[in-house]
């Protein structure tokens, strides 16, 4: 069973709090963050990544009310719905941005290899 798993998944990025991988069978990005696993098509992943990056961390830090200590982060298709603290939002950003960087780098390398083969 491990052999099938190795052939169909590729780890993209890993942090202390989670990791992401690409599943070739479902053509999706899987995010495992603090024991929450969610699956995204590439377009949904990019939307989720932009949404997490748009959270105003500085405003949360300077706001002294109890409500600003955490924020509900949800995706449109309900793949991910959690109330995250400021630290967890920063850690999720790190995971999502690292995953996007890896995808972008892989795409650029594939384009260069394809140009050189022609």
């Amino acid at each position: 069973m491990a052999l099938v798993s190795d052939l169909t998944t590729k780890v993209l990025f890993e942090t202390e709090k989670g990791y992401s991988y690409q599943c070739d069978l479902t053509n999706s990005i899987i995010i495992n963050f603090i024991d929450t696993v969610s699956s995204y098509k590439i377009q949904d992943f990019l939307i989720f990544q932009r949404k997490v990056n748009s959270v105003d961390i500085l405003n949360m830090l300077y706001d002294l009310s109890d409500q600003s200590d955490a924020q509900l982060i949800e995706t449109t298709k309900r793949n991910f719905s959690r109330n995250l603290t400021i630290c967890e939002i920063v850690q999720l950003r790190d995971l999502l941005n690292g995953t996007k960087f890896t995808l972008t780098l892989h795409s650029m390398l594939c384009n260069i290899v394809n140009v050189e083969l022609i």
Side-chain angles (χ1 to χ4, degrees):
M1 181 67 181
L3 182 61
V4 172
S5 178
D6 291 342
L7 293 175
T8 59
T9 61
K10 297 174 186 154
V11 173
L12 297 171
F13 194 76
E14 187 172 0
T15 66
E16 189 176 300
K17 295 293 181 179
Y19 58 92
S20 62
Y21 61 92
Q22 179 178 342
C23 180
D24 292 336
L25 291 177
T26 61
N27 197 23
S28 59
I29 307 298
I30 313 297
I31 303 293
N32 185 327
F33 179 72
I34 309 178
D35 299 328
T36 301
V37 179
S38 51
S39 173
Y40 305 92
K41 296 297 182 187
I42 188 66
Q43 200 62 27
D44 295 330
F45 168 77
L46 294 173
I47 291 168
F48 181 51
Q49 187 249 351
R50 281 192 302 264
K51 182 174 186 167
V52 172
N53 283 338
S54 71
V55 174
D56 190 358
I57 298 290
L58 284 178
N59 189 33
M60 290 176 71
L61 286 171
Y62 289 122
D63 188 349
L64 300 177
S65 66
D66 290 339
Q67 295 83 7
S68 68
D69 291 343
Q71 183 166 343
L72 180 65
I73 305 292
E74 294 182 300
T75 59
T76 54
K77 295 185 179 179
R78 294 281 199 196
N79 293 345
F80 186 92
S81 179
R82 285 194 63 169
N83 205 19
L84 299 177
T85 65
I86 295 170
C87 290
E88 289 172 333
I89 293 171
V90 171
Q91 293 163 345
L92 180 59
R93 271 187 186 178
D94 185 34
L95 176 61
L96 297 177
N97 291 337
T99 301
K100 182 180 178 189
F101 172 78
T102 303
L103 291 170
T104 304
L105 180 62
H106 184 275
S107 177
M108 288 171 47
L109 292 174
C110 286
N111 285 340
I112 290 171
V113 168
N114 287 337
V115 167
E116 290 179 0
L117 292 177
I118 296 177

